[in-house]
Amino acid sequence: MTESSADHALARRAILKGASLGVGAGVVSAFTAQAQISAAGAMQASDGAIWSAEYWAKKGDVALNLWRKRVGAPKAGEPPLPLLFLVHGSSNSARSSYDLTVPGKGEYSLMNVFARYGYDVWTMDHDGYGYSGSSGNNSDVASGVEDLKAAVPVVARETGQAKMHFYGTSSGSIRAAAYAQVEPDRVDRLVLVAFTYKGTGAPEIGNRARRVEFYRNNNRRKRDAAMIRSIFTRDGHASSYDMAVPEAIIAMELKFGEEVPTGTYLDMAANLPLVDPKKVLAPVLMIRGIYDGNSTTADLIDFFQQLPNGDRQFVILPHTAHSPGYSNNRHLLWYATRNFLAAPAAVAS
């Protein structure tokens, strides 16, 4: 049996037989009828104009760029909107990850989507990425946690809210989960997309392990147009994406140069696991594409089973590889995430 077919078989068994684990119940919960969404308190989508603003945080001498979007400018005395903080991954900065425009191809901005769902949406460029400054370090997961520690007080100051939802994709999900371990009082609900736990049996993690000495000896790696395109083909399912997407990312990212930090690649090649699931106390939604080469279903269910909070869900997206937010099935990602974030508080957990 191939890795892909084995993963499919395990995914089916997990969903059909996993109710006692919370897996099956989570998948059903994430895809219930719209009437149940309304009952859970989800807000109606808004057609108002989306307002945006830029902010800065400081991590020592490093200036970190924050980007915010919501429907309508904030006004004194208005009820606060729920906060959603998006954490980017290894190869792309915040705005190409979460606020991408692909001309003529529909909506790709997760920030726009969730602003219209009624959220106050924030993201940031980590140390050495995008508009942020660089300390010269390799911007590993530990550095990313320190970035978040610097950024979150800015969000709290601007919104008057100390707690927020976090969403991370790829190594951004590792950063978000690692932050949730050390700052549990800041984290409301946590969404981990394209997460990697131990990386056992994951082809892309194996590829990175073969270059571990390069990552150890170099704080930056090449991230040119060819590398960006490879993100969409390396799992062998390029049809999961519109190839206009990497071209749009290239147009946004290469203005920052053709290199990015190596830290999260080194972490994923040599230092996994980076998150102890028993220390992640928040409600958690885990989402993976069935063809994701950065993990296996078995690896992620191992993490999922150890989470202490009974408010948890596991969703597998069909015909989707490592980057669900860029995929043709991104609407399923939005749907599952929206339902989870809008869920009412559990009576007991």
Side-chain angles (χ1 to χ4, degrees), residues 8-75:
H8 272 282
L10 178 53
R12 287 194 297 271
R13 290 196 299 272
I15 292 170
L16 293 173
K17 299 174 65 178
S20 63
L21 305 177
V23 180
V27 173
V28 172
S29 175
F31 291 100
T32 47
Q34 186 64 36
Q36 290 177 307
I37 303 173
S38 297
M43 290 155 287
Q44 298 300 311
S46 171
D47 292 327
I50 293 178
W51 172 88
S52 61
E54 186 176 58
Y55 300 84
W56 294 89
K58 290 297 291 289
K59 183 183 74 170
D61 294 331
V62 179
L64 300 173
N65 183 266
L66 283 79
W67 182 238
R68 177 188 188 186
K69 298 187 93 168
R70 48 171 280 166
V71 171
K75 298 176 182 177

Side-chain angles (χ1 to χ4, degrees), residues 166-250:
F166 282 83
Y167 172 115
T169 190
S170 190
S171 65
S173 64
I174 303 176
R175 287 177 172 126
Y179 176 78
Q181 283 189 151
V182 298
E183 297 280 357
D185 292 340
R186 291 290 201 181
V187 181
D188 192 346
R189 300 175 81 79
L190 176 64
V191 181
L192 305 179
V193 180
F195 183 70
T196 303
Y197 177 33
K198 296 178 181 177
T200 306
E204 177 60 20
I205 303 306
N207 290 338
R208 295 179 191 182
R210 287 188 280 275
R211 298 199 68 203
V212 69
E213 290 308 316
F214 174 84
Y215 302 138
R216 284 196 175 111
N217 295 317
N218 295 274
N219 280 353
R220 296 184 74 80
R221 61 181 171 86
K222 192 170 185 179
R223 191 282 324 265
D224 59 3
M227 188 275 158
I228 291 172
R229 293 185 186 109
S230 76
I231 296 169
F232 297 87
T233 59
R234 70 190 185 201
D235 293 330
H237 293 274
S239 62
S240 301
Y241 306 96
D242 189 315
M243 286 299 114
V245 173
E247 301 311 311
I249 295 170
I250 289 164

